[in-house]
Amino acid sequence: MYEAQRALATPSRNPRMAVVIGRLLGVAFIVCFGTGVYSHFLQEPLPWMRFPTRPALLYQFSQGTHIVAGIACFPLLLAKLYIVFPELFASPPVKSFLHLLERASIALFVGASLVQITIGLLNTYQWYPWPFPFREVHYALGWVLVGLLVLHIGIKLPIITRFWSARHEAEREATDAAGATEAPGAADAEAARLEAVRLWGSRRPSGVTGRLLAWIDATPAAPTSVSRRGFLTAVGIAGAAVVGLTAGQTFAPLDALNVFGPRKKGVGQQGVPVNRTAQRAGVTASATAAGWALTLAAGGVERSFSRAELEAMPQTEVELPIACVEGWSQLAVWRGVRLRDLADLVDADPDASFRLTSLEQRGSFRRTQMGPEYVRDPLTLVALELNGETLDLQHGYPARMIAPGRPGVLQTKWLSRIEAITA
Amino acid sequence: MSTEIKRMRVARTVLILIGTAGLVFGLYVLFDTVRITRLPGVALWIGAAIVLHDAVLAPVVFFLGLLLRRAGHRATGTILVLVQGAIVVGSIMTLIVVPAIVAQGLSPNNPSILPLDYGRNLALFWAALALVTTVWAGLLYARSRRANQRPSSRQS
Ligand code: HEM
């Protein structure tokens, strides 16, 4: 074990580096958790919950940030694991029951983090190769991970505070430069070697292991301070690259750099990307049927509107994004009837939440709920047109919802029924 | 000093308690919302992630690092670190883009999903990375030669 730790020692594997990278990773985790929980409650609000409808780009921003911070976790988590990898061979492997718990919590932390970012990324590619439901597991692991993060900080707090500021680093660089002493990493390794000699005698493990270790020993050591700075620079550039070359799928100024994002602005019918297609939803016949009508209901009142009748009502034009849970978004111009005007036609209670039903045969978002803050918002439309044309079938023809600050899955396409929920 | 120790102890206790509460709540949500027959799959993925990292990825990175240091033993340390860094950056990008290429191969359910030529873009990315690294290394090499030619009292 000592031999392994010694062989793995490199200049960038030290507590200061673990703190520097760990801080950034911690921030990224917290940002992911906060934005993720927000997205969760938008989709599954507790009864008392109300959400801000301004800025109208709020969800685009929060979920876009979720994916950007999530992608930044890849270089950061891998860097963090690289730095602390020799700890795996700590010896003795277990010192006490508490130590066992600590190591178990670290193992779960590592495994759950890797799973979380992997399934998150693959979800944005709409590839689901795992044997469990994504949303439920991703949500639960979100809580598990912040819990483990806070626990981890509590356990390591003495080390974290000791290496928080760069003072120790500066001292070390100074001593390195003066050539007065070896780097602490090397000193640790030397101590480990002496301990190994004490335990096993000076004889090296023989056979393959011995030859392997000898070969490793004969390899030139990495240069110290350059290699530490190089490590941080590489992680920084990798982070900038993975974020910069994908974030254009939601952040318009970076559109030109979007060469790896799973979506591209402007790609899709009428310049807007599509998620669920009419074929998938099984609505190609029902959405194009001549007899289609949108039903509004509140209390005992129920009224139906054909598309022509909706077109004859006062029309409003709004500019709102479709912002997907997968992190892409697309600003577009929508035209249609204000939902609150329709609600007034059936004398709905101003404080009522509404239930929206789609023509879709099945699917978890066939039926969704909308709180009064959205129903009464002047930007919330039953949209009939998109970017100056009749709504494409793939975008929800004959009529769809568009409201400010909500995830795309709740912008119900192929509307069929809108009813006030009586408390 | 002793108040400092006491404060540290209080802070750690609070953090550990809050953290444990979050962890327990997460596990509760997991058991509450995911059907019990699906839970072994979750455990399997978490276990497999640990094994994949500790027994495959980390050793591969370790031996690649050794090979690079041997191959480049005559290069100056800075150039070696530069090449190492470039490989790190390229590998991480590859790690993120290759699944996109695979997913594209599984024919996404509409053409606005994964619409780009990710394979070509990844090749271009590596090419750009190689170019930048070469130029950068060239500059470093030229600088170190100039420094060596100058009569200098500095060793190494
Ligand atoms: C440690 C880091 C992360 C944490 C703590 C986290 C947490 C969360 C949470 C709590 C949700 C809400 C789930 C729900 O609606 O019930 C969520 C949603 C989501 N996350 Fe993450 N996440 C992390 C990393 C990532 C990464 C790396 C990606 C992708 C690159 C990602 C992609 C997604 C997606 C696509 C959703 C939307 C799911 C849906 O509503 O269908 N996450 N995340």
Side-chain angles (χ1 to χ4, degrees), chain A residues 292-316:
Chain A
W292 176 85
L294 175 62
T295 304
L296 266 112
V301 191
E302 190 163 313
R303 288 187 58 179
S304 287
F305 303 88
S306 68
R307 202 182 133 104
E309 285 170 314
L310 290 170
E311 281 166 356
M313 296 173 69
Q315 302 288 302
T316 304

Side-chain angles (χ1 to χ4, degrees), chain A residues 32 36 40 43 66-67 70 116 120-121 123 134-135 138-139 325:
Chain A
C32 280
H40 174 84
Q43 294 172 65
H66 186 84
I67 306 298
Q116 184 81 333
L121 182 73
N123 180 288
F134 171 80
R135 265 192 72 211
H138 195 73
Y139 179 64
V325 290

Side-chain angles (χ1 to χ4, degrees), chain A residues 28-29 32-33 36-37 39-40 43-44 63 66-67 70-71 73-74 116-117 120-121 123-124 134-136 138-139 141-142 145 325-327:
Chain A
F29 269 32
C32 280
F33 178 72
V37 166
S39 177
H40 174 84
Q43 294 172 65
E44 282 170 48
Q63 195 60 12
H66 186 84
I67 306 298
I71 287 185
C73 286
F74 279 82
Q116 184 81 333
I117 66 173
L121 182 73
N123 180 288
T124 69
F134 171 80
R135 265 192 72 211
E136 286 78 357
H138 195 73
Y139 179 64
L141 286 187
L145 287 174
V325 290
E326 289 153 20

Side-chain angles (χ1 to χ4, degrees), chain A residues 7 81 85 107 115 122 125-127 131 143 147 150-151 154-155 161 215 218-220 259-263 267 274-275 277, chain B residues 8 12 15-16 19-20 22 25 38 45 50 53 58 62 69-70 93 96-97 99-100 106 110 112-115 118 121:
Chain A
L81 293 181
F85 185 62
V115 168
L122 296 190
Y125 300 153
Q126 299 207 2
W127 178 25
W143 282 99
V150 174
L151 187 65
I155 292 172
T161 46
W215 186 78
T219 303
V259 293
F260 293 129
R263 300 294 187 131
V267 174
V274 173
N275 219 348
T277 61
Chain B
M8 172 67 79
R12 293 184 75 187
L15 287 169
I16 289 172
T20 308
F25 180 69
R38 302 300 187 108
W45 269 59
I50 297 173
H53 175 269
F62 172 63
R69 290 213 309 265
R70 300 199 138 223
M93 200 75 231
I96 285 176
V97 176
L106 300 173
N110 85 68
S112 73
I113 301 165
L114 298 166
Y118 300 96
N121 292 354

Side-chain angles (χ1 to χ4, degrees), chain A residues 108 115 130-134 136-138 140-141 144, chain B residues 25-48:
Chain A
L108 182 61
V115 168
W130 44 79
F132 47 79
F134 171 80
E136 286 78 357
V137 170
H138 195 73
L141 286 187
V144 166
Chain B
F25 180 69
L27 292 175
Y28 162 75
V29 172
L30 190 67
F31 281 82
D32 188 43
T33 58
V34 179
R35 251 190 302 143
I36 196 130
T37 53
R38 302 300 187 108
L39 290 177
V42 179
L44 180 74
W45 269 59
I46 291 177

